[in-house]
Amino acid sequence: SFLPDLDSDSGTPFDIVFDLFAFTGGCISFYYCLQQTNRLWTYWLAIPPAVVIFIRYGVGAIFQKFTVHRGIFHSIPMAMIVTLSMPVLLNSFPLPARDLAAIALSVGAGYVSHLVLDEVYATVNFEGLKFSPKKSLGTALALAAPSKPVTIVAYILLVALIVYNLPLIAQLLPQ
């Protein structure tokens, strides 16, 4: 449910996701370096930290540069993209189609619940004062990003993920 705030440069979701990606990348590179028997021990001590730093601060900085808060990440198409990406990401694990669908729908439900709660928070006044909607009203459940090229890319990716997941969807339909 924190994924819609991934594009917030100062937010905790960004830190969590990119720290996790960096740690995972470091572990994978360390494992790879251990498999190389003809390398010096300094090789496997230098490469994994370099990978961690590159992912966390290099890739993270690029991500921050090209994303804006309340952009495409706060939209219904991105919720669908994230949901349909789960079977792709979990493809390496021997999971039954029903389990893949349950995981994907759980991630999607968390994503959409964040968007709905953002929208509710923009309309509800908890201070007992006269109602005045926040500037963010109407932006959490958007169907497009402020940028037209970003929106087009998002919809192309969404269509590609739908096509990719058609066999999984067909398995889940009653016969």
Side-chain angles (χ1 to χ4, degrees), residues 44-118:
W44 53 266
L45 285 179
I47 299 296
V51 169
V52 168
I53 291 168
F54 173 74
I55 292 172
R56 178 62 179 90
Y57 298 104
V59 176
I62 292 169
F63 182 83
Q64 287 176 327
K65 180 178 170 69
F66 289 105
T67 59
V68 293
H69 190 56
R70 293 285 174 134
I72 193 67
F73 278 89
H74 262 81
S75 68
I76 299 296
M78 187 54 80
M80 294 171 66
I81 288 169
V82 168
T83 302
L84 292 170
S85 295
M86 287 298 102
V88 176
L89 294 172
L90 297 173
N91 195 24
S92 300
F93 299 100
L95 296 170
R98 189 168 287 181
D99 292 349
L100 282 174
I103 293 168
L105 291 174
S106 297
V107 170
Y111 204 102
V112 170
S113 68
H114 179 112
L115 297 179
V116 169
L117 289 172
D118 273 357

Side-chain angles (χ1 to χ4, degrees), residues 82-165:
V82 168
T83 302
L84 292 170
S85 295
M86 287 298 102
V88 176
L89 294 172
L90 297 173
N91 195 24
S92 300
F93 299 100
L95 296 170
R98 189 168 287 181
D99 292 349
L100 282 174
I103 293 168
L105 291 174
S106 297
V107 170
Y111 204 102
V112 170
S113 68
H114 179 112
L115 297 179
V116 169
L117 289 172
D118 273 357
E119 200 63 41
V120 167
Y121 186 72
T123 60
V124 175
N125 181 346
F126 293 107
E127 287 85 29
L129 304 172
K130 182 180 174 189
F131 173 71
S132 61
K134 294 184 179 183
K135 280 188 347 183
S136 62
L137 180 62
T139 62
L141 293 170
L143 294 173
S147 167
K148 189 180 268 188
V150 170
T151 302
I152 291 169
V153 169
Y155 276 101
I156 290 170
L157 181 58
L158 179 58
V159 169
L161 285 167
I162 290 170
V163 170
Y164 178 86
N165 282 300

Side-chain angles (χ1 to χ4, degrees), residues 34-52:
L34 286 177
Q35 302 304 312
Q36 307 300 315
T37 56
N38 57 350
R39 302 285 182 190
L40 296 172
W41 63 274
T42 55
Y43 178 78
W44 53 266
L45 285 179
I47 299 296
V51 169
V52 168

Side-chain angles (χ1 to χ4, degrees), residues 20-32 47-49 51-52 55:
L20 181 64
F21 283 162
F23 177 76
T24 304
C27 289
I28 290 169
S29 65
F30 183 74
Y31 178 75
Y32 175 77
I47 299 296
V51 169
V52 168
I55 292 172

